[in-house]
Amino acid sequence: TDRKRAEAQVLATNDELTALVNELQWRDKQMQLMNRMNELLQSCITRDEAFRVITLSAADLFPGHNGSLAILPSRNENLVVVARWGEELIMEPIFSLDDCWSLRLGKIHEVIDWEAGLLCNHFIHPPQGGYFCLPLTVQGETLGVLSLIDNTVQKGEHPPGLKQLAVTVSETIKLSLSNLRLRDELRQQAIQDPLTGLFNRRYLDETLPRELNRAQRLNSPLCVVMLDIDGFKQFNDSFGHGPGDSLLCEFAGVLREHLRKSDISC
């Protein structure tokens, strides 16, 4: 009857509005979670802190999905998984750059059907629900890769908004990791002598007062030794700065070889 059809139409409209409200509420929560993750990442001092923040934030941003973050510690090395979320381990802990299609292509690699798609080789077993791999690249330098398994894929496509969310998260992560790496490099340049690799005077000025205070507080001995290379000025004047620099580098190598890791050489 017309009344029954009208009631059915009202119920259908109500379901659509409820779904729309739920979607809007989830989008709002996503924005809050993204802002929170970005705020925490900007406050991280070390990369280990950042990896912990990423693990916790990704679990909230991608509920019901498995994922991982792998980074490249240095050039010409394998990638290492540093963050995981979800109920299942999906990635090999260490894998090569060539194992990931997104790193080869330099762009996002999306697979919907694992039987028909071009799978990456870094998974422990083929993802049943499809996945995204997003390369983390800043100014041509590869930092790592973010992988997300879509456990809810249906009808040959990923849920709306999931891909864009993954892209947004990967952009936030790669910028934060790049800033942390740059901060570490600048810090290292500020406290390390570029010729010998030993710490410089600035680091000595920072460290010595702290070590003196620690020794006084613990009532423990502290030894400070100053070394002088006999005849170095004459050697440098006779043979030039090149051989003089080589002598300093060799001398620094002797120090590193014979001192303990807990000792500080400047």
Side-chain angles (χ1 to χ4, degrees):
T1 63
D2 291 341
R3 185 172 65 84
K4 290 293 184 181
R5 284 194 292 271
E7 289 177 352
Q9 182 64 36
V10 169
L11 290 175
T13 302
N14 183 67
D15 290 341
E16 292 176 359
L17 290 174
T18 301
L20 180 60
V21 169
N22 291 337
E23 177 67 18
L24 291 174
Q25 290 177 341
W26 171 235
R27 292 291 179 87
D28 181 64
K29 184 178 180 181
Q30 282 182 350
M31 289 298 299
Q32 294 178 18
L33 291 172
M34 282 295 304
N35 291 336
R36 178 62 174 166
M37 182 180 73
N38 185 58
E39 179 184 10
L40 290 173
L41 287 175
Q42 294 300 321
S43 302
C44 289
I45 299 176
T46 65
R47 290 198 296 174
D48 288 337
E49 289 180 347
F51 299 152
R52 181 60 178 164
V53 169
I54 292 168
T55 300
L56 298 175
S57 300
D60 293 332
L61 285 164
F62 303 108
H65 299 287
N66 298 312
S68 64
L69 168 68
I71 66 163
L72 192 65
S74 60
R75 295 177 182 175
N76 301 322
E77 287 192 14
N78 293 327
L79 289 102
V80 178
V81 175
V82 294
R84 295 186 178 92
W85 57 92
E87 299 179 354
E88 184 182 3
L89 296 179
I90 61 170
M91 297 267 281
E92 297 288 352
I94 300 175
F95 59 91
S96 167
L97 280 165
D98 296 334
D99 289 334
C100 184
W101 280 103
S102 72
L103 294 176
R104 291 198 209 177
L105 299 170
K107 61 182 181 180
I108 183 172
H109 182 62
E110 179 179 359
V111 172
I112 297 177
D113 184 357
W114 68 274
E115 294 181 337
L118 194 61
L119 296 179
C120 298
N121 295 323
H122 50 67
F123 293 107
I124 297 176
H125 53 76
Q128 301 298 310
Y131 68 91
F132 302 104
C133 275
L134 303 98
L136 307 180
T137 305
V138 177
Q139 295 182 349
E141 181 182 5
T142 299
L143 302 180
V145 61
L146 180 72
S147 298
L148 180 66
I149 304 295
D150 183 6
N151 296 328
T152 62
V153 65
Q154 297 176 352
K155 300 178 182 179
E157 60 182 13
H158 296 288
L162 181 63
K163 181 178 180 180
Q164 183 58 45
L165 178 60
V167 170
T168 303
V169 170
S170 70
E171 292 289 329
T172 302
I173 290 175
K174 75 179 185 182
L175 290 178
S176 298
L177 294 182
S178 177
N179 288 337
L180 282 173
R181 175 177 289 189
L182 179 60
R183 186 188 303 172
D184 289 342
E185 291 176 354
L186 292 176
R187 168 67 177 168
Q188 201 64 26
Q189 292 175 9
I191 65 174
Q192 190 175 48
D193 174 50
L195 175 63
T196 62
L198 302 180
F199 292 114
N200 58 19
R201 178 174 175 174
R202 173 180 293 181
Y203 187 77
L204 177 65
D205 292 339
E206 292 179 4
T207 307
L208 187 56
R210 182 171 65 248
E211 293 297 326
L212 289 170
N213 290 330
R214 180 183 301 170
Q216 186 176 20
R217 185 175 67 253
L218 300 178
N219 195 26
S220 60
L222 176 68
C223 179
V224 180
V225 178
M226 185 167 67
L227 304 177
D228 178 67
I229 304 177
D230 291 338
F232 177 72
K233 184 179 185 304
Q234 182 179 355
F235 180 89
N236 208 44
D237 293 340
S238 300
F239 300 102
H241 292 292
D245 289 347
S246 298
L247 191 151
L248 290 176
C249 291
E250 290 294 328
F251 179 68
V254 171
L255 286 180
R256 281 192 296 268
E257 182 180 352
H258 290 85
L259 290 178
R260 299 166 300 184
K261 289 187 177 180
S262 58
D263 296 328
I264 301 172
S265 52
C266 303

